[in-house]
């Protein structure tokens, strides 16, 4: 935590491209570069896994870069995949407050081994990329019988990192007898081609509900748009068989 008392701007947390893991199951990591009394700091993290099988996965990961009401927030740069896992009944989860930038293709996966339900992913900030063509995959699925897929909340996307993300894939599938996780859309999803022929696609699988939560969106509208600039072909939007509805009139 880089600011105590919330009476000034928060500093940065830069972990570079270092591999992050736990030495035992069930550990959580919180990175707080947020402040309610000034600007938020930036956070940079590398690959988060189990040290290629040599150690343990983190259970929960929470990151904040938000600023005060009249101040600027920071941005979290993801330099690698984020792989989390349950600890018994405590499901793996990823919560991030503030904008996000991908520095490569990034997969966020909250359940390893398919021996528990999938955990939740909550973005309270827009996501973008630092170069064209980066993809985002969010996997809260499980094949464990009678357990549920995790819920996913997206607060929109932008080009704050310099570029729009290319493809987004979200999978909240449940095990047999379970319920797929819901996808909540709180802001516009703007994607773009990579400039070399790879069009932008948005894909949601698992059959979970899609909830439009547009209370903070401009004119109460949430859009998914797969081509910015109209200088290339637009990509596909595949929402499968999911039930789509709004959480308010």
């Amino acid at each position: 935590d880089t600011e105590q008392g919330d009476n000034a701007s928060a500093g940065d947390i830069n972990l570079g491209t270092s591999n992050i893991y736990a030495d035992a199951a069930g550990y959580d990591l919180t990175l707080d570069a947020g402040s309610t009394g000034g600007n938020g700091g930036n956070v940079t993290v590398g690959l988060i896994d189990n040290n290629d099988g040599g150690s343990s996965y983190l259970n929960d990961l929470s990151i904040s870069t938000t600023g005060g009401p009249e101040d600027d927030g920071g941005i979290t740069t993801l330099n690698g995949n984020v792989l989390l896992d349950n600890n018994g009944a405590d499901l793996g989860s990823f919560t991030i407050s503030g904008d996000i930038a991908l520095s490569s293709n990034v997969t966020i996966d909250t359940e390893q081994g398919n021996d528990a339900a999938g955990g939740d992913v909550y973005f309270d900030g827009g996501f973008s990329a630092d170069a064209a063509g980066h993809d985002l995959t969010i996997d809260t699925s499980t094949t464990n019988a009678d357990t549920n897929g995790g819920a996913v909340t997206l607060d929109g996307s932008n080009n704050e990192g310099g570029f729009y993300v290319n493809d987004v894939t979200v999978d909240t599938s449940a095990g047999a007898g379970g319920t797929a996780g819901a996808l909540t859309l709180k802001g516009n999803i703007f994607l773009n081609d990579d400039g070399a022929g790879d069009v932008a696609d948005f894909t949601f699988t698992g059959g979970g509900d899609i909830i439009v939560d547009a209370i903070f969106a401009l004119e109460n509208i949430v859009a998914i748009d797969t081509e910015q600039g109209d200088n290339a072909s637009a990509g596909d939007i595949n929402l499968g068989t999911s039930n789509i509805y709004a959480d308010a009139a």
Side-chain angles (χ1 to χ4, degrees):
D1 188 334
T2 60
E3 168 53 29
Q4 314 309 310
D6 286 327
N7 54 7
S9 294
D12 298 336
I13 302 172
N14 188 350
L15 305 182
T17 58
S18 295
N19 192 188
I20 302 171
Y21 52 86
D23 70 355
Y27 290 165
D28 302 334
L29 176 63
T30 298
L31 302 174
D32 188 354
S35 174
T36 60
N39 296 329
N42 299 313
V43 173
T44 303
V45 295
L47 172 65
I48 299 172
D49 68 353
N50 65 343
N51 191 25
D52 199 24
S55 298
S56 297
Y57 296 101
L58 291 174
N59 181 215
D60 300 324
L61 175 62
S62 178
I63 300 175
S64 177
T65 63
T66 56
E70 304 298 326
D71 302 297
D72 295 327
I75 192 165
T76 296
T77 299
L78 300 179
N79 284 321
N81 296 333
V82 177
L83 307 181
L84 309 172
D85 201 13
N86 70 295
N87 178 41
D90 185 3
L91 304 180
S93 67
F94 182 33
T95 301
I96 187 162
S97 298
D99 285 341
I100 306 117
L102 312 182
S103 71
S104 62
N105 295 338
V106 170
T107 295
I108 299 169
D109 188 335
T110 59
E111 170 51 29
Q112 316 305 315
N114 289 305
D115 55 2
D120 297 341
V121 173
Y122 188 94
F123 281 9
D124 189 13
F127 60 88
S128 61
D130 69 358
H134 294 341
D135 299 335
L136 174 64
T137 299
I138 300 176
D139 187 352
T140 63
S141 69
T142 184
T143 60
N144 191 51
D146 298 318
T147 56
N148 301 329
V152 174
T153 299
L154 300 179
D155 196 25
S157 66
N158 51 48
N159 61 349
E160 288 295 316
F163 296 84
Y164 295 100
V165 169
N166 183 214
D167 299 325
V168 172
T169 302
V170 179
D171 185 356
T172 65
S173 300
T179 301
L183 170 63
T184 299
L185 300 176
K186 296 175 62 179
N188 297 325
I189 306 294
F190 294 139
L191 309 177
N192 202 17
D193 68 286
D194 70 348
D198 183 5
V199 299
D201 297 324
F202 185 93
T203 305
F204 178 56
T205 59
D209 290 350
I210 298 175
I211 305 168
V212 178
D213 181 3
I215 188 170
F216 296 112
L218 182 64
E219 297 180 348
N220 291 338
I221 297 172
V222 168
I224 301 176
D225 187 335
T226 59
E227 172 52 28
Q228 313 310 310
D230 289 329
N231 54 5
S233 297
D236 297 336
I237 301 172
N238 186 352
L239 306 181
T241 59
S242 294
N243 186 24
I244 305 171
Y245 54 89
D247 70 348

